[in-house]
Amino acid sequence: MDGSTGRTGTSRLAIVALSVLLVLVLGCALVGGYTLLEVRRTAEQVGNLLSVEPTTVIRARGPAVVKQVQRLSKLETSRYTLEKILDAERTRRNVPGFLVGDKLIFVAHGEVVAGLDLSTIGEQDIEVSGDSITMKLPEPQILYTRIDNEKSYVYERETGLLSDADKDLESQVRAQAEQQIRESALEGGILEDARKNGEQTLEALLLSMGFEDVSFE
């Protein structure tokens, strides 16, 4: 009986030990399997990221600058407001002026605007080197001249005893006044002012685009 009981106890201990060992093995296998699975998933994610095609960014600053500048089109950079006094007289040959004459004094108020026609700038006019840019600007020009009809007026007018006011005379004086105002603005240096103001405006634009050194020809 004692021998039988001893063998039975030993068998039970062996079964228990085997069971514990089996549980440990299975546990390690499960843990190992879970870790391997996570590693595989991580590897797949990394592989997906690496397999994405790279993005290439090309910054063609020259043409881009040209388009930005051309959008300004005719850049008005200088405006002169002037006043001119003109007198005009119309007579007829061999007829006294006090009979059929027509004369007037006209006060003309107008403005002259000058600037740069930036639509003419092309890629050949812009040189970009790193953060530096050199731009060849077009010559400044008079963009328009106009007479302010609300502020312009006939100061004085005299007609002959036998004639009426000639409606064409005032129109001709207004046209001449516009020309006189234009010439006065040119003599006053409006084109040089237009060039300087244009450079300042464009320099501010180019600096805002990221350039650090701006020069003009």
Side-chain angles (χ1 to χ4, degrees), residues 61-62 65 126-135 210-215:
R61 301 186 70 176
V65 173
I126 295 178
E127 182 179 346
V128 177
S129 178
D131 292 330
S132 300
I133 181 171
T134 301
M135 181 179 296
F211 293 101
E212 297 182 359
D213 182 25
V214 180
S215 59

Side-chain angles (χ1 to χ4, degrees), residues 56-110:
T56 302
V57 178
I58 300 176
R59 295 181 176 88
R61 301 186 70 176
V65 173
V66 172
K67 291 182 180 179
Q68 289 289 339
V69 171
Q70 287 181 342
R71 286 179 183 176
L72 297 176
S73 189
K74 292 186 177 180
L75 180 63
E76 299 179 1
T77 57
S78 185
R79 183 187 305 269
Y80 277 25
T81 300
L82 303 99
E83 187 174 86
K84 298 287 290 185
I85 298 177
L86 297 90
D87 62 84
E89 181 177 6
R90 174 165 294 176
T91 59
R92 294 184 180 181
R93 182 179 299 180
N94 301 326
V95 180
F98 71 91
L99 292 177
V100 295
D102 185 8
K103 61 182 180 179
L104 59 82
I105 298 176
F106 184 76
V107 179
H109 188 94

Side-chain angles (χ1 to χ4, degrees), residues 79-210:
R79 183 187 305 269
Y80 277 25
T81 300
L82 303 99
E83 187 174 86
K84 298 287 290 185
I85 298 177
L86 297 90
D87 62 84
E89 181 177 6
R90 174 165 294 176
T91 59
R92 294 184 180 181
R93 182 179 299 180
N94 301 326
V95 180
F98 71 91
L99 292 177
V100 295
D102 185 8
K103 61 182 180 179
L104 59 82
I105 298 176
F106 184 76
V107 179
H109 188 94
E111 66 176 8
V112 183
V113 175
L116 305 174
D117 186 1
L118 302 180
S119 63
T120 62
I121 291 182
E123 294 183 29
Q124 71 280 0
D125 299 315
I126 295 178
E127 182 179 346
V128 177
S129 178
D131 292 330
S132 300
I133 181 171
T134 301
M135 181 179 296
K136 182 179 180 181
L137 296 179
E139 291 294 327
Q141 58 182 274
I142 300 295
L143 299 180
Y144 65 86
T145 304
R146 75 178 185 89
I147 297 295
D148 189 334
N149 292 320
E150 294 184 356
K151 295 181 179 180
S152 301
Y153 58 94
V154 175
Y155 176 75
E156 183 179 289
R157 188 162 195 170
E158 296 179 4
T159 57
L161 297 175
L162 303 178
S163 64
D164 297 325
D166 188 340
K167 61 181 181 179
D168 293 330
L169 181 60
E170 184 176 343
S171 298
Q172 293 176 3
V173 172
R174 286 179 179 271
Q176 183 62 31
E178 183 174 320
Q179 181 63 29
Q180 290 291 328
I181 287 176
R182 177 189 177 94
E183 292 178 0
S184 296
L186 290 172
E187 293 173 359
I190 189 173
L191 294 182
E192 180 62 20
D193 290 342
R195 182 188 63 81
K196 292 180 180 178
N197 295 339
E199 289 182 356
Q200 293 177 358
T201 300
L202 290 172
E203 182 179 14
L205 171 65
L206 296 172
L207 290 175
S208 69
M209 295 176 65

